[in-house]
Amino acid sequence: MDESKETQMRDSPLPLSLSVVLDNIDTGIAIYDAKGNFVFINTVMVNWRNIPRNEYLTMNIHDFSNYLDICVFDLVMEKKQRVSRLQFYRDIQFISGPERMRIVTGTPIFDGKGNVQYVIVAMVGGALALSGVDTTITLGVIASFLQ
Protein backbone atom coordinates (compact mmCIF):
# COMPACT_ATOMS: atom_id res chain seq x y z
CA MET A 1 0.00 0.00 0.00
CA ASP A 2 1.26 3.42 -0.90
CA GLU A 3 2.32 5.47 2.16
CA SER A 4 -0.04 8.39 1.45
CA LYS A 5 -3.04 6.03 1.28
CA GLU A 6 -1.96 4.34 4.51
CA THR A 7 -1.65 7.73 6.26
CA GLN A 8 -5.00 8.80 4.86
CA MET A 9 -6.68 5.66 6.21
CA ARG A 10 -5.13 6.11 9.67
CA ASP A 11 -6.17 9.76 9.85
CA SER A 12 -9.77 9.24 8.77
CA PRO A 13 -12.38 9.04 11.54
CA LEU A 14 -13.90 5.64 12.15
CA PRO A 15 -17.64 5.36 11.58
CA LEU A 16 -18.05 3.66 14.97
CA SER A 17 -19.49 5.05 18.15
CA LEU A 18 -17.57 4.64 21.38
CA SER A 19 -20.34 2.47 22.84
CA VAL A 20 -20.10 0.05 19.89
CA VAL A 21 -16.34 -0.24 20.41
CA LEU A 22 -16.67 -0.77 24.17
CA ASP A 23 -19.43 -3.31 23.72
CA ASN A 24 -17.18 -5.44 21.51
CA ILE A 25 -14.20 -5.62 23.88
CA ASP A 26 -13.67 -9.00 25.57
CA THR A 27 -13.10 -7.29 28.92
CA GLY A 28 -15.91 -6.31 31.28
CA ILE A 29 -16.31 -2.52 31.05
CA ALA A 30 -18.44 -0.28 33.25
CA ILE A 31 -18.53 3.52 33.30
CA TYR A 32 -19.87 5.31 36.37
CA ASP A 33 -20.63 8.97 36.98
CA ALA A 34 -19.07 10.71 39.98
CA LYS A 35 -21.86 9.41 42.25
CA GLY A 36 -21.30 5.78 41.25
CA ASN A 37 -24.33 5.49 38.97
CA PHE A 38 -23.86 3.20 35.98
CA VAL A 39 -23.81 5.22 32.74
CA PHE A 40 -22.50 2.40 30.53
CA ILE A 41 -22.16 -1.35 30.86
CA ASN A 42 -20.87 -3.63 28.13
CA THR A 43 -22.18 -7.03 27.08
CA VAL A 44 -19.42 -8.93 28.89
CA MET A 45 -20.63 -7.47 32.21
CA VAL A 46 -24.27 -8.12 31.34
CA ASN A 47 -23.43 -11.74 30.56
CA TRP A 48 -21.30 -12.25 33.71
CA ARG A 49 -24.03 -11.28 36.11
CA ASN A 50 -27.07 -11.95 33.93
CA ILE A 51 -28.55 -8.55 34.82
CA PRO A 52 -30.26 -6.78 31.88
CA ARG A 53 -28.46 -3.66 30.65
CA ASN A 54 -31.51 -1.43 31.24
CA GLU A 55 -31.60 -2.61 34.88
CA TYR A 56 -27.90 -1.85 35.36
CA LEU A 57 -28.49 1.69 34.13
CA THR A 58 -30.87 2.28 37.06
CA MET A 59 -28.30 1.02 39.58
CA ASN A 60 -25.34 2.36 41.52
CA ILE A 61 -22.05 0.52 42.20
CA HIS A 62 -22.90 0.62 45.90
CA ASP A 63 -25.90 -1.64 45.21
CA PHE A 64 -23.23 -4.37 44.99
CA SER A 65 -21.39 -3.51 48.25
CA ASN A 66 -22.65 -6.61 50.03
CA TYR A 67 -20.98 -8.77 47.38
CA LEU A 68 -17.58 -7.05 47.03
CA ASP A 69 -14.64 -7.23 49.39
CA ILE A 70 -13.39 -3.86 48.10
CA CYS A 71 -14.94 -1.18 45.91
CA VAL A 72 -12.44 0.01 43.29
CA PHE A 73 -14.75 2.91 42.39
CA ASP A 74 -14.43 4.26 45.98
CA LEU A 75 -10.63 3.89 45.88
CA VAL A 76 -10.44 5.82 42.60
CA MET A 77 -12.63 8.60 44.00
CA GLU A 78 -10.49 8.76 47.16
CA LYS A 79 -7.07 8.65 45.47
CA LYS A 80 -8.09 10.44 42.24
CA GLN A 81 -5.83 8.15 40.24
CA ARG A 82 -5.89 4.77 38.49
CA VAL A 83 -6.29 1.86 40.91
CA SER A 84 -5.98 -1.89 40.25
CA ARG A 85 -6.99 -4.58 42.71
CA LEU A 86 -7.82 -8.25 42.81
CA GLN A 87 -11.49 -8.09 43.80
CA PHE A 88 -13.27 -10.99 45.49
CA TYR A 89 -17.01 -11.59 45.31
CA ARG A 90 -19.14 -13.06 48.08
CA ASP A 91 -22.50 -14.81 47.77
CA ILE A 92 -22.95 -14.16 44.05
CA GLN A 93 -23.35 -16.67 41.25
CA PHE A 94 -22.16 -15.64 37.81
CA ILE A 95 -23.83 -17.13 34.77
CA SER A 96 -20.37 -18.32 33.66
CA GLY A 97 -19.93 -20.31 36.85
CA PRO A 98 -18.56 -19.90 40.36
CA GLU A 99 -15.80 -17.39 39.56
CA ARG A 100 -15.00 -15.52 42.73
CA MET A 101 -12.32 -13.05 41.72
CA ARG A 102 -11.59 -10.46 39.09
CA ILE A 103 -8.73 -8.13 38.34
CA VAL A 104 -10.41 -4.72 38.45
CA THR A 105 -8.80 -1.51 37.25
CA GLY A 106 -10.55 1.83 37.69
CA THR A 107 -9.46 5.00 35.92
CA PRO A 108 -10.78 8.50 36.68
CA ILE A 109 -11.80 10.93 33.94
CA PHE A 110 -11.55 14.53 35.09
CA ASP A 111 -13.58 17.58 34.11
CA GLY A 112 -11.96 20.93 33.28
CA LYS A 113 -11.79 21.85 37.00
CA GLY A 114 -9.92 18.70 38.04
CA ASN A 115 -12.94 16.96 39.55
CA VAL A 116 -13.60 13.30 38.80
CA GLN A 117 -16.45 13.26 36.28
CA TYR A 118 -16.45 9.55 35.38
CA VAL A 119 -14.75 6.37 36.50
CA ILE A 120 -14.09 3.69 33.91
CA VAL A 121 -13.68 0.20 35.29
CA ALA A 122 -12.29 -2.78 33.38
CA MET A 123 -12.64 -6.27 34.81
CA VAL A 124 -10.96 -9.51 33.84
CA GLY A 125 -12.10 -12.68 35.52
CA GLY A 126 -11.45 -16.37 35.90
CA ALA A 127 -8.38 -17.83 34.21
CA LEU A 128 -7.46 -14.45 32.73
CA ALA A 129 -7.28 -12.94 36.22
CA LEU A 130 -4.89 -15.67 37.27
CA SER A 131 -2.72 -15.17 34.18
CA GLY A 132 -2.03 -11.53 35.09
CA VAL A 133 -3.73 -9.85 32.09
CA ASP A 134 -3.14 -6.11 32.24
CA THR A 135 -6.43 -4.18 32.04
CA THR A 136 -4.65 -0.81 32.09
CA ILE A 137 -3.97 -0.96 28.34
CA THR A 138 -7.69 -1.23 27.60
CA LEU A 139 -8.49 1.59 30.01
CA GLY A 140 -5.88 3.90 28.51
CA VAL A 141 -7.50 3.58 25.10
CA ILE A 142 -11.00 4.18 26.50
CA ALA A 143 -9.89 7.15 28.60
CA SER A 144 -8.34 8.82 25.55
CA PHE A 145 -11.74 8.69 23.81
CA LEU A 146 -13.52 10.33 26.75
CA GLN A 147 -11.10 13.20 27.29
Side-chain angles (χ1 to χ4, degrees):
M1 176 180 287
D2 151 313
E3 186 178 325
S4 63
K5 283 185 184 177
E6 184 177 291
T7 303
Q8 202 172 32
M9 286 177 66
R10 256 188 315 202
D11 293 340
S12 67
L14 290 175
L16 297 173
S17 72
L18 178 60
S19 62
V20 169
V21 172
L22 295 177
D23 206 38
N24 285 283
I25 292 175
D26 289 339
T27 301
I29 302 289
I31 301 176
Y32 309 99
D33 66 15
K35 295 179 181 176
N37 299 312
F38 285 89
V39 295
F40 176 84
I41 192 87
N42 76 348
T43 300
V44 170
M45 294 283 291
V46 168
N47 291 339
W48 273 343
R49 294 187 183 140
N50 200 26
I51 297 172
R53 189 182 318 265
N54 61 339
E55 188 175 333
Y56 262 116
L57 297 177
T58 66
M59 299 173 81
N60 184 286
I61 185 57
H62 298 111
D63 294 334
F64 294 95
S65 8
N66 291 336
Y67 305 108
L68 306 173
D69 70 327
I70 192 163
C71 182
V72 170
F73 170 85
D74 289 341
L75 292 173
V76 170
M77 293 302 289
E78 176 188 326
K79 297 176 183 283
K80 300 199 181 330
Q81 65 184 23
R82 178 177 286 155
V83 175
S84 292
R85 293 288 187 276
L86 186 58
Q87 188 176 66
F88 291 91
Y89 293 84
R90 300 182 291 264
D91 304 322
I92 191 168
Q93 180 68 34
F94 293 101
I95 197 158
S96 58
E99 298 174 27
R100 296 286 183 221
M101 69 177 158
R102 303 240 189 278
I103 294 176
V104 181
T105 300
T107 301
I109 301 297
F110 299 95
D111 64 16
K113 298 177 182 176
N115 301 310
V116 176
Q117 186 173 11
Y118 298 102
V119 174
I120 306 168
V121 172
M123 301 178 200
V124 178
L128 287 177
L130 294 173
S131 71
V133 168
D134 187 359
T135 58
T136 58
I137 294 168
T138 302
L139 285 174
V141 171
I142 297 167
S144 68
F145 275 106
L146 293 175
Q147 290 180 332

